Amino acid sequence: MTQHSPIAAIILAAGKGSRMKSDLHKVLHPIAARPMLLHLIDAVQTLSPDRIVVVTGAGRDQVEKAVAPLGIGTALQAEQLGTGHAVLQARDSLAGFDGDVLILYGDVPLISATTMQRMIDRLHAPDAPATVVLGFRPADPAAYGRIIADADGRIGKMVEYKDASPDERAVTLCNSGLMAARAADLFALLARVGNDNAAGEYYLPDVVMLAASDGRPSAVIETDADEVAGVNSRAELAGVERRWQQRRRAQAMADGATLIAPDTVWFAHDTRIGRDVVIEPHVVFGPDVSVADGVTIHAFCHIEGTTIANGATVGPYARLRPGTVLGEGAKIGNFVETKQAVLGPGAKANHLSYLGDATIGANANIGAGTITCNYDGFFKYQTIIGAGAFIGSNSALVAPVSIGAGAIVAAGSVVTRDVSADALALVRPDQTEKPGWAASFRAAMTARKARKQP
């Protein structure tokens, strides 16, 4: 990417988002398990900006809390008086800044760094436009503002839908609201914007026509409508999530993973998938998952906070929770849940088990129905299972407890003390048998039931 001069970004996030019908600020609703605002900030930071300013309004405390850990400043738009007024609130935050400014929207999270750079590059083209506007052609132009431009992208007029004539409304090139301008030009033009329009607001696009009246035309570049999709409702949030997931699935397959039914696989923003990974239908990845090469994830699994090494197998119907680490060739089977559990290479838990706060050695075998009893109602405790150990089915390992390497725990055991390496732990009463007891019991109960019949 070409760096012409310092870059700053103003992100508008002052709107109430009332159509979301939520106590959570609109720009903090998640896409791929991450607030949409942070998706946008991440893309901006790819350009190494000198400054980022988020313009807040309603729900400012939530937005400020979200961006503060990133070292990003905010500016308050106390009254909602239009987009031009909102951008003007960032002027003090950019005091002394002499560079290019990108104007972005917190509820338009899919804009790429590549498109932002194209806007900056166009701003520095030989014809030196006063501003650069990002346009798009939606399937339904609806109430978007229109851009009237020539074949070279020079803008003749920009008009809000409310103020457009029938001929202007027939134009399909629409204004996304995103813009690039030099800081000195931007704030000087904004200071001249009035509110003599149908809504009585200060429109950001008016700077284009003000610059034109000074003999300085602006330019438009176009992008795909999906990239500038906005979020104003739950339905639109779902639509943007769908677009994000479609891109990520395509990328995973392009990088060498097999998705048997791509539309049923859901990634988080930071999911890392290796080559020759096979992902069967209906798999959901939460945040912080890394999957190495050659892994197979069977259907209907939910995985978050997990690292999976080469050649491991997961599922079907497995739930891997944060802190899970699967070693090379390890196997987690159907209806197994793990949390803060480390399985060494080749370790197996194939059926119906809960493994929490556990360290399981290489090639250990965990039988069906095994539970690590890690919580006493107040504190969590560790279970350690040595390499090559065998835990019989329906066993309860009451932590803190250690099972030595190569040890065998007999099925149905409740283990409360450490087991030595290569030992057999048998923790259940001796089996006894009473000949004929079951037949006598059935006869007695049948007679008793018959006496109670009316």
Side-chain angles (χ1 to χ4, degrees):
M1 296 183 178
T2 304
Q3 185 78 349
H4 302 282
S5 59
I7 294 174
I10 299 172
I11 300 175
L12 304 188
K16 294 180 178 179
S18 56
R19 288 170 55 193
M20 297 294 287
K21 294 182 171 60
S22 176
D23 293 332
L24 181 66
H25 195 286
K26 176 172 66 172
V27 301
L28 300 181
H29 279 262
I31 296 168
R34 188 184 200 187
M36 69 176 84
L37 175 61
L38 301 191
H39 279 274
L40 179 60
I41 289 172
D42 190 51
V44 173
Q45 288 179 329
T46 303
L47 303 180
S48 300
D50 279 20
R51 305 184 201 181
I52 299 176
V53 182
V54 178
V55 178
T56 65
R60 61 180 292 194
D61 292 346
Q62 293 183 20
V63 177
E64 290 170 355
K65 183 178 180 180
V67 302
L70 304 176
I72 292 173
T74 60
L76 177 63
Q77 185 188 23
E79 295 182 86
Q80 312 298 292
L81 301 178
T83 52
H85 177 260
V87 174
L88 197 58
Q89 307 314 301
R91 177 172 53 189
D92 290 346
S93 297
L94 295 184
F97 176 77
D98 184 19
D100 302 326
V101 179
L102 287 164
I103 300 169
L104 309 168
Y105 290 76
D107 59 0
V108 182
L110 299 186
I111 185 72
S112 68
T114 299
T115 297
M116 295 180 204
Q117 186 65 52
R118 286 177 53 218
M119 295 168 68
I120 296 295
D121 291 345
R122 184 65 183 89
L123 191 64
H124 290 270
D127 60 345
T131 69
V132 173
V133 177
L134 185 62
F136 69 112
R137 297 182 188 271
D140 178 11
Y144 290 107
R146 301 302 202 265
I147 302 174
I148 316 300
D150 64 20
D152 295 324
R154 288 186 292 271
I155 297 173
K157 185 177 182 182
M158 287 182 62
V159 59
E160 293 292 323
Y161 180 84
K162 298 173 186 177
D163 303 312
S165 68
D167 287 345
E168 290 166 344
R169 291 180 179 182
V171 172
T172 60
L173 182 59
C174 295
N175 176 24
S176 71
L178 280 68
M179 183 180 292
R182 297 165 189 82
D185 291 335
L186 175 64
F187 293 113
L189 290 167
L190 283 171
R192 296 163 54 191
V193 170
N195 65 344
D196 184 16
N197 52 60
E201 294 185 347
Y202 297 88
Y203 290 147
L204 176 63
D206 286 357
V207 301
V208 172
M209 302 317 299
L210 286 169
S213 69
D214 296 338
R216 300 185 60 204
S218 295
V220 60
I221 64 170
E222 295 189 37
T223 192
D224 185 86
D226 282 352
E227 191 175 7
V228 290
V231 176
N232 293 293
S233 67
R234 305 281 182 157
E236 290 176 349
L237 178 67
V240 170
E241 176 80 41
R242 182 178 65 253
R243 293 179 181 96
W244 190 96
Q245 293 292 341
Q246 287 170 339
R247 293 182 187 179
R248 184 63 185 90
R249 294 163 186 152
Q251 186 63 55
M253 291 185 287
D255 290 341
T258 294
L259 276 58
I260 302 298
D263 287 350
T264 70
V265 176
W266 294 82
F267 291 107
H269 64 96
D270 58 353
T271 308
R272 300 170 295 283
I273 302 292
R275 295 176 59 183
D276 295 317
V277 172
V278 176
I279 304 175
E280 292 185 357
H282 303 288
V283 173
V284 176
F285 294 96
D288 192 25
V289 174
S290 178
V291 180
D293 296 345
V295 170
T296 297
I297 301 175
H298 293 292
F300 295 98
C301 292
H302 189 284
I303 304 171
E304 59 180 323
T306 294
T307 300
I308 304 175
N310 291 14
T313 302
V314 179
Y317 295 98
R319 185 183 183 197
L320 307 185
R321 296 168 63 193
T324 297
V325 177
L326 302 187
E328 188 168 344
K331 293 184 179 180
I332 291 290
N334 49 286
F335 302 104
V336 174
E337 179 181 354
T338 63
K339 184 177 186 290
Q340 295 293 337
V342 178
L343 278 72
K348 300 176 182 179
N350 282 327
H351 321 280
L352 301 159
S353 295
Y354 172 71
L355 304 173
D357 295 288
T359 300
I360 300 166
N363 299 309
N365 193 322
I366 310 299
T370 296
I371 296 173
T372 59
C373 306
N374 60 326
Y375 183 52
D376 66 0
F378 296 92
F379 301 101
K380 298 286 184 73
Y381 302 94
Q382 281 283 322
T383 297
I384 299 174
I385 300 172
F390 183 94
I391 310 299
S393 297
N394 200 34
S395 294
L397 309 180
V398 182
V401 70
S402 178
I403 310 299
I408 296 176
V409 173
S413 294
V414 178
V415 180
T416 58
R417 296 193 300 269
D418 291 352
V419 177
S420 302
D422 295 319
L424 169 65
L426 181 62
V427 192
R428 61 187 183 210
D430 290 338
Q431 182 170 319
T432 60
E433 184 173 320
K434 297 180 179 181
W437 186 91
S440 298
F441 174 78
R442 283 193 297 271
M445 290 299 103
T446 300
R448 181 179 177 184
K449 186 174 183 180
R451 289 195 298 270
K452 291 188 175 182
Q453 295 297 328

